[in-house]
Amino acid sequence: MKTKSKSQSVPVAILVRVSTMKQETARQVSELEAYASQKGYTVIEVCRETVSGRADEVEREGLQRVEALAAEGRIKKVLVHEVSRLARRNSIAHKFVETLEDSGVSLYWHAQGIETLLPSGKRNPAAGIMLALLSEMARAEVETLRERIMSGLAQARRE
């Protein structure tokens, strides 16, 4: 079996996000580092965020850092655990992916094993469809949670 030499290794960034300080990023990082190792990728940087997925782009230091690494040509792939770790707003998730693609950088999300660019460097149409679907589901999940909380609070007030 042939192994990749360091000069052939693909440089990647890992992006992880949690919403609160009570949550940990260790599981996301561990699984993505294991995947990178298995593929022979070199992890250039792990970008961590503790911010709501509904936060504005200006509050998303991790996204901004990854975009800078892509623009500088330092990475070829970004690894995330799942689409909801990018954002829970479709516009931010789609803009982020387009920014990466403009720099020739592919986004890989681990939960479904999907990459936004094909090995040829062309856009993966299946990934685009999945991104749209999964980013909408991530947005809807937040709304459903908010509705349950409001319903529970209303019930508590009635009691």
Side-chain angles (χ1 to χ4, degrees):
M1 185 170 95
K2 214 175 167 183
T3 58
K4 289 186 175 186
S5 69
K6 287 288 185 195
S7 62
Q8 294 175 318
S9 181
V10 176
V12 302
I14 291 176
L15 175 64
V16 295
R17 181 188 66 77
V18 291
S19 299
T20 68
M21 295 298 282
K22 292 179 182 178
Q23 296 170 311
E24 297 278 333
T25 59
R27 179 188 57 85
Q28 293 176 57
V29 172
S30 174
E31 290 181 19
L32 293 171
E33 284 179 336
Y35 173 79
S37 177
Q38 171 193 6
K39 290 293 193 177
Y41 299 161
T42 300
V43 177
I44 301 300
E45 193 168 324
V46 175
C47 301
R48 291 178 170 85
E49 291 185 313
T50 302
V51 64
S52 167
R54 305 248 336 133
D56 290 328
E57 291 170 278
V58 295
E59 301 172 73
R60 301 295 307 276
E61 293 176 11
L63 288 184
Q64 292 172 21
R65 178 63 185 148
V66 168
E67 288 174 346
L69 291 169
E72 294 165 5
R74 295 190 53 211
I75 57 173
K76 287 296 173 195
K77 294 184 190 295
V78 176
L79 313 180
V80 297
H81 200 272
E82 58 187 74
V83 171
S84 69
R85 301 302 86 202
L86 290 180
R88 291 195 184 266
R89 291 174 55 187
N90 300 348
S91 59
I92 291 176
H94 287 284
K95 184 179 177 191
F96 177 70
V97 170
E98 288 176 4
T99 299
L100 293 179
E101 289 177 355
D102 288 347
S103 295
V105 173
S106 186
L107 173 72
Y108 166 83
W109 64 90
H110 194 60
Q112 283 77 34
I114 295 176
E115 237 181 278
T116 57
L117 297 180
L118 298 169
S120 64
K122 293 183 180 180
R123 178 180 272 200
N124 178 351
I129 292 166
M130 288 296 293
L131 178 68
L133 176 66
L134 293 171
S135 61
E136 179 58 26
M137 288 173 62
R139 185 199 60 76
E141 186 178 14
V142 169
E143 289 181 9
T144 301
L145 178 60
R146 186 176 302 129
E147 288 172 12
R148 282 196 307 252
I149 291 169
M150 297 307 285
S151 175
L153 291 172
Q155 178 66 28
R157 281 191 289 277
R158 285 191 296 273
E159 293 174 357

